[in-house]
Amino acid sequence: MIELPDLPNETLIMLAILLIALVFLVFYAIVNMIDMAYVMYAKRPLYRFLIPPFSKLSKPHLKVLETQFPFYSKLSQKNKRVFQHRLAKFIKRKNIVGRDGLVVNDDMIVLISATSIMLTLGFRDYALRGVKHIIVYPSIFYSNTNESHHKGEYNPKLETLVFSWEHFLEGYDVTNDNLNLGIHEFAHAIHLNSLKNKDVSATIFVDGFSKLTAMLSDNKSLKNRLISSEYFRDYAFTNQFEFIAVLIENFIETPQEFKSQFPSIYVSIKQMLNFNFKGY
């Protein structure tokens, strides 16, 4: 019979810790494999969050959300809790500042941040780490990036989104013209962040966009109908980045018309955003 040597308590504790860590790593690897297998099969995340949403909005921020952001009012109670939690986290993490004398108030903070949360509500990773700063001008501003005047832009190198507040508001004043500056610029940020990151939601977004472009490349009649329909404004056909940003604008603002005219493309966008909410 082999006798085990007596080990100091410190060594036993260390071995126990190592064993627990090993079990955790094996468990994590198995869960990750199941997660990715599900993503490949279902084209959506197995789960959006593990820890229940707990962060709460301040009363002024909640009032703006409830009275000025119609998308939120249509959500289920569960998704409203998720939305509030994510919005509170987003506001805390992002640096939102005004320029040219513009004082940032609760309306600006909530409406800008809520636009991002709306577009990423179906994501697991909604943080948009490639956006650290959000700059708000009163109206059209001069951009040093390309030496021209803009209503909005996303600069991935500076991790900065910039908006004209006048034109940001116009995007929400008319809800069915498929022109929404906030949605458009956040769509750029989501697209570029997805290209850089490897999380589940980024993978689904990039894979979906690749399949969408391949589908349009193979189906010339669909592509020609897309261009000639005039449902999407001409700016969509500038490049792939403007294309997806405009498609997302149309998807959010006029989902039923989008679904009616181009059902296969509509399904692709819905899948890319995992957008399984009322009205979509």
Side-chain angles (χ1 to χ4, degrees):
M1 183 176 178
I2 299 175
E3 292 186 8
L4 295 175
D6 291 332
L7 297 173
N9 288 337
E10 293 82 0
T11 303
L12 290 173
I13 293 172
M14 183 60 69
L15 288 174
I17 292 172
L18 290 174
L19 180 60
I20 292 171
L22 179 61
V23 170
F24 176 79
L25 288 173
V26 171
F27 175 76
Y28 177 80
I30 293 172
V31 170
N32 192 53
M33 288 174 61
I34 294 172
D35 188 27
M36 290 308 298
Y38 182 83
V39 167
M40 296 301 294
Y41 170 75
K43 305 302 180 186
R44 62 187 179 90
L46 179 60
Y47 59 91
R48 283 188 297 156
F49 52 87
L50 288 175
I51 301 173
F54 58 88
S55 295
K56 293 184 178 180
L57 286 171
S58 67
K59 289 183 179 180
H61 286 170
L62 181 58
K63 183 177 180 180
V64 174
L65 181 62
E66 291 178 334
T67 59
Q68 299 187 48
F69 205 77
F71 175 82
Y72 172 82
S73 65
K74 299 175 184 177
L75 295 173
S76 66
Q77 288 303 312
K78 176 184 176 181
N79 281 320
K80 282 183 178 180
R81 289 197 299 273
V82 176
F83 200 107
Q84 286 189 42
H85 166 79
R86 292 185 171 192
L87 183 59
K89 290 288 188 181
F90 189 94
I91 290 171
K92 184 177 180 180
R93 291 168 177 164
K94 307 304 179 184
N95 177 39
I96 304 177
V97 297
R99 289 286 187 270
D100 288 354
L102 184 68
V103 177
V104 171
N105 58 29
D106 288 334
D107 288 13
M108 297 174 187
I109 291 170
V110 173
L111 294 179
I112 290 172
S113 302
T115 301
S116 178
I117 300 305
M118 173 179 65
L119 294 177
T120 59
L121 191 58
F123 288 18
R124 182 185 303 169
D125 187 345
Y126 64 94
L128 279 187
R129 292 178 178 82
V131 177
K132 292 184 178 178
H133 311 284
I134 298 174
I135 297 173
V136 191
Y137 284 87
S139 190
I140 291 176
F141 58 90
Y142 183 78
S143 171
N144 291 318
T145 304
N146 52 18
E147 299 182 341
S148 63
H149 287 85
H150 281 226
K151 297 176 183 177
E153 68 176 21
Y154 172 54
N155 189 320
K157 290 183 178 179
L158 298 179
E159 299 178 319
T160 300
L161 267 170
V162 191
F163 294 111
S164 153
W165 182 241
E166 175 189 349
H167 297 91
F168 182 95
L169 283 180
E170 281 183 2
Y172 283 110
D173 286 341
V174 183
T175 59
N176 60 354
D177 63 351
N178 297 320
L179 288 169
N180 188 300
L181 178 66
I183 292 172
H184 188 94
E185 297 304 331
F186 271 113
H188 283 319
I190 290 168
H191 188 184
L192 289 167
N193 276 258
S194 296
L195 291 172
K196 290 178 61 178
N197 297 306
K198 301 298 180 182
D199 63 88
V200 166
S201 295
T203 300
I204 292 171
F205 188 93
V206 172
D207 181 64
F209 185 61
S210 296
K211 290 179 178 177
L212 174 60
T213 52
M215 177 177 68
L216 291 173
S217 178
D218 294 339
N219 192 334
K220 299 297 183 183
S221 62
L222 176 60
K223 183 177 180 179
N224 291 335
R225 188 161 64 85
L226 191 77
I227 296 171
S228 63
S229 70
E230 297 184 355
Y231 173 58
F232 304 103
R233 66 183 189 273
D234 291 342
Y235 193 53
F237 308 105
T238 305
N239 56 53
Q240 64 168 332
F241 297 101
E242 301 303 342
F243 179 66
I244 190 60
V246 170
L247 258 61
I248 290 174
E249 279 180 278
N250 286 53
F251 175 86
I252 296 294
E253 292 221 332
T254 55
Q256 298 312 312
E257 184 178 358
F258 196 153
K259 186 177 182 179
S260 175
Q261 290 203 40
F262 300 98
S264 59
I265 299 175
Y266 174 89
V267 168
S268 294
I269 301 298
K270 182 173 181 176
Q271 192 174 78
M272 289 165 63
L273 297 175
N274 190 33
F275 217 79
N276 298 306
F277 308 111
K278 186 177 180 179
Y280 296 89

